[in-house]
Amino acid sequence: DVQLQESGPGLVKPSQSLSLTCTVTGYSITSDYAWNWIRQFPGNKLEWMGYISYSGSTSYNPSLKSRISITRDTSKNQFFLQLNSVTTEDTATYYCARGRYDDYAMDYWGQGTSVTVSS
Amino acid sequence: QIVLTQSPAIMSASPGEKVTLTCSASSSVSSSYLYWYQQKPGSSPKLWIYSTSNLASGVPARFSGSGSGTSYSLTISSMEAEDAASYFCHQWSSYPPTFGAGTKLELK
């Protein structure tokens, strides 16, 4: 069965970088699909952040384009989120999710990891 | 970007009651790229309905989805306790993909 698991620090200081890992089991991230990052703010608003495709191409939300980078380590079947110059407004629960290419539905999600930006 | 407005924000329904949640888009959305996700407290969102009307794996048949253009809906034919959750609509018809603010459905 496909499983995704987010990991990373729960607390980041303002102006620093947020770095998260999504470890995928049960499916190779190089076989197919788009591998997404989505975040949910306090109050439950959801925001799509971006994805890295099975081929390694990336797509980002324009609202984050200058601060975000999504990369991967195919040997470990992991993909990563880096968000630079964070502020308190980046406090959220961060999810990774698998996205289908035929209809863009995100069919498998990780359990989420909570990140607080605070000094 | 397309703004998705969900109504109502919160509602309660009794067991057996028919429930309809709506999602209104600021611009036309292709029905192929309109989804609904269910989320329960402390859990991640789950794909519930894709391409407007297709139920995801394991979703009970009492759920249905419909709509086109700027107006979409999710209907529960007969409310059950396990359906109490938040439901988010989501579009990938226009870049960037966006989500509605959600409807919290409570059991009365």
Side-chain angles (χ1 to χ4, degrees):
Chain A
D1 196 23
V2 179
Q3 294 188 346
L4 295 87
Q5 177 72 58
E6 306 88 349
S7 59
L11 181 64
V12 180
K13 288 181 166 40
S15 81
Q16 293 188 343
S17 293
L18 178 163
S19 296
L20 298 176
T21 298
C22 182
T23 300
V24 181
T25 56
Y27 195 86
S28 171
I29 63 172
T30 62
S31 292
D32 201 348
Y33 297 97
W35 302 90
N36 295 268
W37 286 99
I38 304 99
R39 63 182 177 176
Q40 188 167 34
F41 299 102
N44 291 332
K45 176 185 174 183
L46 288 159
E47 180 181 60
W48 173 80
M49 301 181 73
Y51 70 70
I52 187 164
S53 75
Y54 69 95
S55 64
S57 62
T58 55
S59 180
Y60 302 130
N61 192 318
S63 68
L64 301 168
K65 198 159 190 178
S66 62
R67 299 197 293 136
I68 189 173
S69 177
I70 299 176
T71 57
R72 64 181 184 173
D73 183 336
T74 58
S75 68
K76 295 182 178 179
N77 216 37
Q78 295 174 326
F79 63 105
F80 312 103
L81 171 70
Q82 181 171 318
L83 188 65
N84 299 322
S85 305
V86 298
T87 71
T88 56
E89 296 191 351
D90 294 309
T91 293
T93 296
Y94 287 76
Y95 296 100
C96 55
R98 187 181 83 167
R100 307 193 300 220
Y101 266 108
D102 55 353
D103 59 12
Y104 298 105
M106 291 182 281
D107 58 359
Y108 286 91
W109 292 60
Q111 66 184 30
T113 187
S114 179
V115 178
T116 299
V117 179
S118 175
S119 55
Chain B
Q1 66 180 34
I2 292 180
V3 176
L4 299 177
T5 303
Q6 293 189 241
S7 61
I10 305 174
M11 71 173 296
S12 60
S14 301
E17 184 177 348
K18 182 178 180 180
V19 173
T20 299
L21 313 181
T22 65
C23 176
S24 176
S26 59
S27 299
S28 184
V29 170
S30 167
S31 60
S32 297
Y33 306 119
L34 191 286
Y35 325 91
W36 293 88
Y37 291 86
Q38 183 198 66
Q39 186 178 32
K40 295 188 175 183
S43 296
S44 55
K46 292 181 180 178
L47 178 64
W48 213 243
I49 295 174
Y50 63 96
S51 300
T52 296
S53 59
N54 297 286
L55 302 185
S57 178
V59 174
R62 62 182 177 273
F63 284 86
S64 63
S66 64
S68 65
T70 61
S71 183
Y72 292 86
S73 63
L74 178 157
T75 299
I76 307 172
S77 60
S78 178
M79 175 76 179
E80 296 197 9
E82 67 177 12
D83 302 335
S86 291
Y87 293 86
F88 296 88
C89 60
H90 171 54
Q91 68 82 25
W92 209 312
S93 177
S94 173
Y95 232 71
T98 52
F99 290 87
T103 291
K104 184 176 182 181
L105 176 61
E106 299 173 334
L107 183 67
K108 192 181 291 182

